[in-house]
Amino acid sequence: MMRVEIPVDLLRGSQGDENAELVLKLIAFFREARHEWVISPRDVDIVQTFLHRHVPILAQTYVLLAQKASMAQAWAPHNVTGVVRVASETLVGDIRDLERQAVLVVENAIYDWQMIEALARLLGCEDVIDAKESNHLSVYNGGGKDGAIRHAVDQAAKFSRTRRVVLVIDSDSFHPADRTDNHVKADAAASKGVRSHVLSFREMENYIPNRVLARQPRNPVGISSMAKRLKSLKAFSPEQRAHFDMKHGFKGKPQMGADQKGRHSKKAGTAYFVPERHGDLYDEVAEQDLITLQEGFGTGLPALFLEEVMRGGISEQDLDGLGPSAKQELRSMFGTIRGVI
C-alpha cells in the first residue's frame, strides 16, 4: 500500500474548510487499509480538531486511526522513502492517483500470475494476492515483452503524480552477466515513471523448484523419463539451472550463424544444441546430461506449481535449491510490486 502524509497546514483554518471533503476521502483510504497514513504523534491533536469540526460523529473512530498510525510512524525507520506528500495544489490529482487500481504488467497474465501467486504464497506475500482479489491491483497481459513495456508506459501516463505501475518481465538471459534488450527496454520504461523488475533468471519457469517438476508426469513411462531429466538437471550448478530453457531444453538442430554453437551426439535420435550465447556456461556438463535435457519440461509448469503450492506439497524451503540469492531477489520483486499498491 502507498504511504501518504497529509501536511497539517491543510487541516487548519480556511484551508481545512476548503480541503475538508478531499482530506476526508484520503482518511477513508486509511480506514479501509487501502493506503497507510504517515503522521507524527505531535500532529494528532490538529487532526482531532479538524475531525471534530467536520465529521463529529466519526471523529472518535478517525482519531483512534490517527493515533495508531502515529505510533507506527514513531517506531518506523527514519530513512523510509516512497511517501506521497500531498499539498493543496496536488490534492485532487493525488486522490485520483490513490483511488485508481495499481497496475502490474506482465508478459502473460495467466502464466505469470500463476507463478507470482505461487511464489507469494510460499514467501508470505499474500497481501499482493489480496490486493488483486480486492481490485486494488490489476494484472495486465502484455502479450509478450514489447507489448508489456508499451502498456506499462501508457498506464503510467494516466497517473497525475504518483505513477502506480510496475512491470515484471523475463530477462531472457543466457548467462549470469548477460544484459539483454529487456534490461534496456525496462530502463527506458523506468524513465517514464514505470517501476520495473527484470528477473535475474532467464524466465519465470526457472524459479520452479525441482519438487514440482517431479510431480508432473501421470503415467509410469513419463515418471521414468522425468526421473532421468531431474537427475541431469540436479547436476547443474545454480547458475546453469537459472539460465537453462526450462520449457524447451536443448532441443532442435543447430542453426547457421555466429550466434549459435552446435554440439551434437553422433548417435541417431540424440541431437541437441547449446546456443552460443550461453558462452562456456555448459562446457563442463556431461554430454549425456545435455542429451537427456534436450526436451526440457514443457509449457504447463506455472499451473502445476500453483496447484502444488495450494495443495501444500511445496514449502518455502524448496526454493533454497534455486541458489543462495533466489529468495532475496523474489522478495525484492514483491517489494517493488507492493511499492505501487
Side-chain angles (χ1 to χ4, degrees):
M1 60 183 69
M2 306 301 297
R3 305 180 71 247
V4 184
E5 180 180 340
I6 306 172
V8 292
D9 288 344
L10 295 183
L11 309 179
R12 292 189 173 112
S14 61
Q15 276 210 78
D17 294 339
E18 293 169 6
N19 296 314
E21 185 177 357
L22 295 174
V23 169
L24 291 170
K25 194 166 187 176
L26 278 177
I27 295 175
F29 290 155
F30 308 145
R31 181 176 56 82
E32 296 163 3
R34 183 167 180 177
H35 299 299
E36 180 181 344
W37 196 351
V38 176
I39 178 173
S40 169
R42 66 176 177 271
D43 294 333
V44 173
D45 287 344
I46 298 171
V47 171
Q48 185 172 14
T49 301
F50 169 84
L51 292 170
H52 278 296
R53 177 179 176 83
H54 295 285
V55 282
I57 295 176
L58 295 175
Q60 184 176 2
T61 299
Y62 283 3
V63 168
L64 287 174
L65 178 65
Q67 290 172 339
K68 182 178 179 181
S70 71
M71 291 303 296
Q73 180 64 18
W75 290 97
H78 294 295
N79 59 348
V80 173
T81 59
V83 176
V84 179
R85 292 182 171 88
V86 303
S88 181
E89 61 272 17
T90 68
L91 192 53
V92 173
D94 287 333
I95 288 176
R96 287 176 181 166
D97 289 346
L98 292 168
E99 68 185 354
R100 289 176 65 96
Q101 285 183 316
V103 183
L104 166 62
V105 185
V106 293
E107 298 175 44
N108 185 301
I110 295 176
Y111 297 143
D112 289 343
W113 178 254
Q114 287 171 339
M115 286 292 306
I116 290 171
E117 181 178 348
L119 291 166
R121 294 185 183 281
L122 287 183
L123 294 171
C125 300
E126 289 90 350
D127 56 308
V128 173
I129 302 170
D130 294 341
K132 179 176 181 292
E133 292 179 348
S134 60
N135 292 319
H136 294 163
L137 173 70
S138 65
V139 179
Y140 181 83
N141 177 46
K145 278 164 278 293
D146 289 340
I149 292 166
R150 283 196 303 270
H151 181 75
V153 172
D154 289 346
Q155 286 295 307
K158 295 179 180 180
F159 288 85
S160 173
R161 197 165 69 102
T162 305
R163 306 190 190 283
R164 301 173 56 218
V165 180
V166 62
L167 171 71
V168 175
I169 58 173
D170 297 338
S171 66
D172 292 341
S173 56
F174 282 72
H175 56 81
D178 195 4
R179 179 173 171 80
T180 68
D181 287 344
N182 299 342
H183 293 91
V184 176
K185 292 174 181 177
D187 287 347
S191 70
K192 304 293 185 180
V194 176
R195 301 192 192 191
S196 64
H197 183 94
V198 181
L199 298 174
S200 295
F201 290 5
R202 179 171 178 165
E203 295 175 322
M204 275 282 190
E205 287 82 355
N206 291 89
Y207 295 87
I208 295 177
N210 289 346
R211 191 184 296 272
V212 174
L213 304 176
R215 294 173 183 175
Q216 189 177 15
R218 303 298 183 188
N219 57 75
V221 174
I223 292 172
S224 175
S225 173
M226 181 59 66
K228 293 177 182 177
R229 275 180 282 169
L230 274 175
K231 182 179 179 181
S232 293
L233 187 69
K234 290 176 181 178
F236 281 0
S237 68
E239 291 79 12
Q240 290 166 339
R241 190 191 189 285
H243 300 281
F244 171 62
D245 189 338
M246 294 290 290
K247 289 180 285 191
H248 305 297
F250 297 118
K251 183 170 58 177
K253 294 182 179 180
Q255 302 296 312
M256 300 299 293
D259 63 334
Q260 304 263 1
K261 177 174 64 176
R263 295 179 62 187
H264 19 123
S265 168
K266 303 290 186 180
K267 299 177 183 179
T270 58
Y272 68 94
F273 76 93
V274 178
E276 188 170 348
R277 282 184 60 189
H278 281 305
D280 61 359
L281 187 61
Y282 298 99
D283 282 359
E284 302 303 318
V285 176
E287 185 175 61
Q288 184 56 54
D289 288 327
L290 299 177
I291 293 170
T292 302
L293 289 169
Q294 63 182 295
E295 292 298 326
F297 294 89
T299 58
L301 296 176
L304 178 65
F305 185 20
L306 180 56
E307 177 185 332
E308 290 297 322
V309 170
M310 296 295 287
R311 195 176 62 83
I314 304 296
S315 70
E316 179 184 337
Q317 286 66 40
D318 290 308
L319 297 174
D320 293 338
L322 301 176
S325 63
K327 286 199 291 188
Q328 180 180 352
E329 189 221 337
L330 292 170
R331 292 187 190 281
S332 174
M333 177 188 75
F334 283 114
T336 301
I337 297 172
R338 283 191 180 109
V340 304
I341 297 173

